[in-house]
Amino acid sequence: MNTLLVTATGESTGKTAVAVALGRLAQAQGRRVGYMKPKGTRLQSHVGKTLDRDPMLARELLGTDDEMHEMEPIVYSPTFVRSAMEGREQPDELRERVREGFDAVAAERDFVVVEGGGRLTTGGAVDLTDAEVADLLDAKVVLIADYESPPDVDETLAAARRVGDRLTGVIFNRVSETAYDEVESVVAPFLERRGIPVVGVLPREASLAGVTVDELASELGVEILTDVPTDGVVERFLVGAMSGEEALRFFRRTKDAAVITGGDRTDIHTAALEAPGITCLVVTGGRRPPSAVLGAAAKKGVPVLLSSTDTLSTLERAEDVVRSGRTRDEHTVDVMEGLLTAHADVDALLGGGSDGDSDADADR
C-alpha cells in the first residue's frame, strides 16, 4: 500500500483540491483509495459536533464510507491547542489515536492520501507536525508551495528540509502567467540541484481564483441588502479610508474588487458604485447605508453587504476567505485533476505499490 501526505508551506494553498484530485486519479487507475486528515483545521459545526469540512467533501467525492472520527481523529481547534499547552492532551495518546484512525481507513485499501492540517508546522504543540505524522504513518510527502517572487524559495527550501527524505517532490500551485517561466527555468532547476524534486508547476486557474459575492457573504455571515445577482467574482479588497474623489480615482484602477468601508461613508459608497471594476460594496459597523445608496446599487446591479463588525475585522475575515479560494466543491476538484494531469508527474505522486516505490526512489 502507498501512503501520500499532502502538506504545504502555508495555509490555503490548495491542499484539499490536490489531495482529493490525487485520490480520484488513483481510483481511475483502479486503486482502492482511502483519505484522512489527522488534524481537522477548517472547522464548522455539523450535527452538534465541530468537524472539518475537508474530510466531508473527500468522503463524498471519493465515495468512501469511513467514519468521521477515523478520517479526522483530532479536531485541532484553538480550544484543543490551549488544552494541550495546559497539559490536558497527551502526545502519545494522540499519536495512537491517529494511528488507529489510519489503520481503519487503510484497511483493504492500496492507496491512502493524507491531508495535512493548515501548514507543515501545524500540530507542533502535540508533536504531530505534518513531518511527524508522515513518520508515524510511513508516508511519502508532497509539498504544495506558492511562488510570486524569488524570496518565496526560502520558505520552500526550509519546508523541504523539514520533511527530509520522505519528500516525493514539490508542486508549485497557482503560478501566475508572469512567474510561470521563471519557476520552470530558474526555480525548479535550482531546487533540483539542491536535491529537491519539483513534480508539478500548476498555472493559476482563473475559475478557481477569488470567491463569488454569494460565497463571500455566506462565509462572512453577513446580510445582503440588495436584490441583485451575487455571482460576480471578488479577488481583492479595497478599504475606503480616503476622500470620495481620491477613492474614485483609486477604485477605477482595479477590477474584481470589493470595497469595505463604514456604513456612514456615503461618499465612498458613491465612488464604489461609479467604478466599473468594483464587484460589491461591504459596509461595516452594522450601520445600513442610506436608501439612496441602496437604490443606486440596485440600479447598477452592485450587491451591498452589511457586516456587523468593524472595518478591520471584516477585512481580515474577508481576506481569509479569498485566500482559501473558491468554496471547495466537485468543480474545484475536477479542475485540479485536469491541472495535475497536464502539469504534474502524477505517476511519481501516486507510486505503484512496492515496485512503484522502488522506481520513484530510483528516479530521485
Side-chain angles (χ1 to χ4, degrees), residues 226 228 269-270 273-274 290-304:
T226 46
V228 299
H269 305 160
T270 301
L273 295 177
E274 292 181 9
S291 58
V293 170
L294 294 178
K299 186 176 181 179
K300 291 178 176 291
V302 177
V304 179

Side-chain angles (χ1 to χ4, degrees), residues 2 77 116 213 223 278 295 331:
N2 286 357
S77 65
V213 174
E223 182 182 356
I278 301 304
H331 169 71

